[in-house]
Amino acid sequence: MNEQYILELEGIHKSFNGVKVLENVNFKVKAGEVHALVGGNGAGKSTLMKILTGVYKCDKGVIKINGKVIKIEDPNDAKKYGIRMIFQELSLVPTLTVAENIFLTNEPITKGFAINKRIIQEKTSKLLKEFDIDVDPNARVSSLGVGYCQLIEIAKSLATEANILIMDEPTASLSEAETNILFNFIKKLKEKGVSIIYISHRMNEIFKVADRITILRDGKNVITTEIDKINIQEIIEYMMGSKVEKIFEWQERDQMIDNDYILEVKELTVNSQIKDISFKLKKGEILGIAGLMGSGRTEILEAIFGIREKIKGEILIEGKRTEIKSVKDAISAGIALVPENRREQGLVLMHSVKENIILPNLQRLLHVFAINTKKVKMLVETSIKEFSIKTDSINKPVRFLSGGNQQKVVIAKWLKTNPKVLLLDEPTAGVDVGAKGEIVNIIREFANSGKGVIVVSSELAELLAVCDRILILSKGRIINEYLRKDIESEEVLQHAIQQ
Ligand SMILES: Nc1ncnc2c1ncn2[C@@H]1O[C@H](COP(=O)(O)OP(=O)(O)OP(=O)(O)O)[C@@H](O)[C@H]1O
Ligand SMILES: [Mg+2]
């Protein structure tokens, strides 16, 4: 009857420790379509996909492939049916090379027991070329930025045959240029008849790439429709369950900016590419750094924060020269960094929400040798409220939080240290549209109290909403600088970056 569907998930239920996460969810995918799966942070998107890929078992429900009921008991079953997933949490092995990562699980390239290095190198080169990814197949993954890792993760899943490819926020750290590389690939896959399930919090992408959309809210279906029968405002309303006025709206805040500098960076040199970076940040100012993948944005923030070695350069905080050689130095100088790679650098995944938030705040919470438990509870509970972090308990290990909610924990924990200078690397990557607006407001309020903020983001709409001034970085150099009020549109900024 339903031959047109390659995949049908019917009446899917799933609870974790008695907490309902998916309730009677239906999700149907046609052959060769791009089907967007959308919903707020914690709506259940990743969980539904993990059921489809055999990572979790559903409590109740039916899975059909080409109209036939099948059982997916483990990831191997899913593979057998040609179902592949690019996980939100990257699955690359950092100590292996790009080539080894891509072909790690592919059988035909093994000869006896040894992997034939030359063959995997050649195959990798070909694949990377096809993808327009400018990376050495022999480079270790640990030496690459998050953006490249995302592209490699995608290339890896494409190296294997798939009928159904699931992409869980594939573009979270990709800028527009790199996103277009991915979209071209999606087009090619569609032509081959591959179905793609596309999860993203970037609304403009969904309109560019999807044929149909399914929206989940709190673990339940809200609507499934053709993409051209719905608009962005409606999608947001269905997702959030209420009207959300302008998500990203810029506010002129000249009167909030002081003439004194809170941070001065002088001739900072990180390596042979990223050289002689100089800029100043005023009290109350929000400064953006825009640039392509590999332009050095993250490296500059890391060097200021003391986790990346500097070859040369001076950092002044409130006019005073400050030596920053470690995270400890940075914290005591009043600098905080919300890192791009939150799972590795931002959180202790095994620890609870509470432990993660209080970690950098311990000093303040110590009350004559004992931790003030009342203060801890208050700090954690206000953070959860302010950032609308979805968790059923403050003691829940953060690895069980949804991706977007993990990101909110990282931002909360650093903001609560009350730094003078806040460095944010892709602060709203993976965060839903409702929470994006909230985070922008929180950043603004923080700056209003006379602090300095630097934002790196590949989402131009975000930079334009929150920044007072934007530096353009290209191949490790600042090539231009604009006041926000002089930038008329996203296209103007896009053009400035790609020069
Ligand atoms: N293994 C687990 N144990 C307990 N709770 C879990 C587990 N996995 C997911 N959850 C909970 O299930 C809910 C749905 O999570 P899921 O990761 O599916 O959300 P999501 O829609 O992918 O959100 P995001 O957009 O933030 O990635 C969340 O409240 C999360 O805390
Ligand atoms: Mg998710």
Side-chain angles (χ1 to χ4, degrees):
M1 242 168 70
N2 282 327
E3 297 102 292
Q4 57 165 338
Y5 293 115
I6 181 168
L7 169 74
E8 293 161 90
L9 297 173
E10 288 175 355
I12 304 288
H13 289 259
K14 178 76 189 170
S15 298
F16 290 108
N17 314 313
V19 180
K20 276 187 193 159
V21 170
L22 294 173
E23 225 182 314
N24 197 23
V25 171
N26 296 308
F27 183 64
K28 297 181 180 187
V29 177
K30 294 178 186 171
E33 78 167 342
V34 178
H35 196 131
L37 181 59
V38 171
N41 293 132
K45 305 176 296 290
S46 297
T47 303
L48 186 66
M49 293 302 106
K50 284 177 180 168
I51 288 171
L52 178 58
T53 50
V55 177
Y56 295 145
K57 261 190 224 162
C58 61
D59 303 332
K60 217 173 111 186
V62 173
I63 302 176
K64 289 183 193 163
I65 295 274
N66 292 321
K68 269 201 208 98
V69 177
I70 58 150
K71 281 241 168 324
I72 296 179
E73 305 276 344
D74 58 41
N76 275 330
D77 283 346
K79 265 189 207 152
K80 219 169 56 196
Y81 292 107
I83 301 167
R84 305 276 156 161
M85 175 153 176
I86 299 166
F87 285 97
Q88 193 171 14
E89 309 90 34
L90 301 177
S91 65
L92 303 176
V93 182
T95 50
L96 297 183
T97 66
V98 173
E100 285 163 348
N101 263 288
I102 290 182
F103 288 101
L104 199 60
T105 51
N106 279 19
E107 312 301 331
I109 45 144
T110 51
K111 218 184 209 174
F113 289 109
I115 291 176
N116 188 326
K117 274 206 167 151
R118 195 179 52 81
I119 295 180
I120 70 164
Q121 249 178 53
E122 275 169 16
K123 284 196 173 193
T124 306
S125 294
K126 198 173 145 234
L127 193 73
L128 294 175
K129 212 180 251 157
E130 211 179 330
F131 232 134
D132 261 336
I133 307 174
D134 186 18
V135 167
D136 177 1
N138 294 317
R140 291 213 180 277
V141 160
S142 56
S143 69
L144 303 173
V146 176
Y148 283 112
C149 289
Q150 270 187 350
L151 287 177
I152 290 162
E153 182 83 32
I154 293 162
K156 179 180 163 184
S157 60
L158 294 179
T160 53
E161 289 291 312
N163 306 324
I164 299 169
L165 186 62
I166 305 159
M167 299 189 176
D168 196 349
E169 288 181 54
T171 61
S173 330
L174 302 187
S175 72
E176 216 151 305
E178 293 112 31
T179 300
N180 286 334
I181 298 176
L182 174 67
F183 285 0
N184 281 335
F185 239 81
I186 291 182
K187 224 194 246 158
K188 281 189 205 160
L189 287 170
K190 256 180 81 165
E191 283 162 13
K192 283 198 209 160
V194 177
S195 304
I196 291 154
I197 301 172
Y198 192 86
I199 300 178
S200 176
H201 289 292
R202 293 183 175 180
M203 292 297 134
N204 55 347
E205 287 180 0
I206 288 164
F207 283 96
K208 267 194 208 158
V209 80
D211 301 303
R212 293 198 307 145
I213 179 170
T214 289
I215 302 176
L216 298 182
R217 186 170 73 237
D218 295 332
K220 297 190 195 92
N221 283 95
V222 187
I223 189 176
T224 296
T225 173
E226 314 280 315
I227 200 73
D228 47 20
K229 298 213 174 83
I230 196 166
N231 66 38
I232 194 159
Q233 214 49 44
E234 289 165 334
I235 294 181
I236 295 171
E237 260 179 69
Y238 283 126
M239 271 174 72
M240 309 317 286
S242 61
K243 264 206 157 50
V244 175
E245 297 303 329
K246 306 238 165 75
I247 323 153
F248 278 154
E249 200 178 27
W250 180 57
Q251 286 170 16
E252 163 106 50
R253 37 189 310 288
D254 277 1
Q255 74 288 358
M256 305 309 299
I257 303 172
D258 214 274
N259 275 328
D260 291 340
Y261 296 111
I262 196 147
L263 170 77
E264 291 163 75
V265 173
K266 290 187 176 165
E267 296 183 354
L268 174 69
T269 298
V270 182
N271 55 35
S272 58
Q273 266 245 317
I274 305 163
K275 266 211 284 226
D276 295 325
I277 302 285
S278 298
F279 63 86
K280 294 176 179 180
L281 177 68
K282 288 177 174 168
K283 290 188 174 166
E285 190 180 31
I286 306 172
L287 176 68
I289 303 181
L292 294 176
M293 198 159 81
S295 61
R297 298 165 300 175
T298 296
E299 288 83 349
I300 290 172
L301 297 191
E302 288 178 348
I304 296 173
F305 192 58
I307 50 175
R308 187 173 283 271
E309 223 175 302
K310 307 183 250 302
I311 292 176
K312 172 179 110 165
E314 271 183 29
I315 289 171
L316 285 77
I317 304 277
E318 293 181 306
K320 271 198 252 42
R321 230 196 111 172
T322 312
E323 199 70 53
I324 298 168
K325 286 196 164 146
S326 65
V327 175
K328 206 165 151 241
D329 291 348
I331 294 175
S332 48
I335 304 175
L337 168 70
V338 173
E340 178 181 24
N341 195 345
R342 57 182 175 257
R343 288 182 69 88
E344 270 169 33
Q345 299 167 355
L347 295 167
V348 185
L349 290 170
M350 266 108 64
H351 288 181
S352 68
V353 174
K354 181 175 89 186
E355 288 160 331
N356 271 282
I357 291 179
I358 63 169
L359 195 63
N361 291 294
L362 273 182
Q363 213 57 41
R364 251 185 328 120
L365 296 165
L366 277 174
H367 186 70
V368 206
F369 302 115
I371 289 187
N372 186 330
T373 43
K374 227 166 146 189
K375 268 195 189 164
V376 166
K377 201 159 173 259
M378 222 166 73
L379 175 89
V380 176
E381 277 169 0
T382 47
S383 306
I384 289 178
K385 213 165 130 214
E386 273 172 37
F387 291 82
S388 37
I389 296 168
K390 190 175 168 187
T391 176
D392 36 69
S393 151
I394 64 173
N395 298 314
K396 186 164 182 152
V398 287
R399 81 189 134 115
F400 294 143
L401 259 53
S402 77
N405 284 298
Q406 292 179 0
Q407 175 74 344
K408 293 189 216 166
V409 172
V410 186
I411 300 180
K413 88 172 201 190
W414 285 111
L415 260 176
K416 290 296 169 192
T417 65
N418 202 19
K420 290 176 185 160
V421 177
L422 179 64
L423 311 174
L424 298 162
D425 200 349
E426 305 285 354
T428 69
V431 168
D432 71 42
V433 283
K436 267 181 183 159
E438 287 161 28
I439 289 176
V440 166
N441 284 334
I442 289 168
I443 295 172
R444 237 179 244 144
E445 256 166 51
F446 175 80
N448 285 349
S449 60
K451 310 294 178 54
V453 180
I454 302 179
V455 184
V456 163
S457 175
S458 35
E459 197 170 359
L460 301 185
E462 170 173 59
L463 284 180
L464 289 172
V466 75
C467 297
D468 306 304
R469 187 159 57 99
I470 298 175
L471 304 176
I472 310 290
L473 196 68
S474 171
K475 297 190 183 119
R477 306 240 173 200
I478 296 173
I479 55 163
N480 224 326
E481 177 186 331
Y482 298 92
L483 287 177
R484 166 63 182 88
K485 57 181 170 234
D486 296 334
I487 304 175
E488 269 161 31
S489 66
E490 213 174 302
E491 287 69 41
V492 172
L493 182 56
Q494 178 70 30
H495 188 71
I497 292 170
Q498 279 178 326
Q499 268 181 347

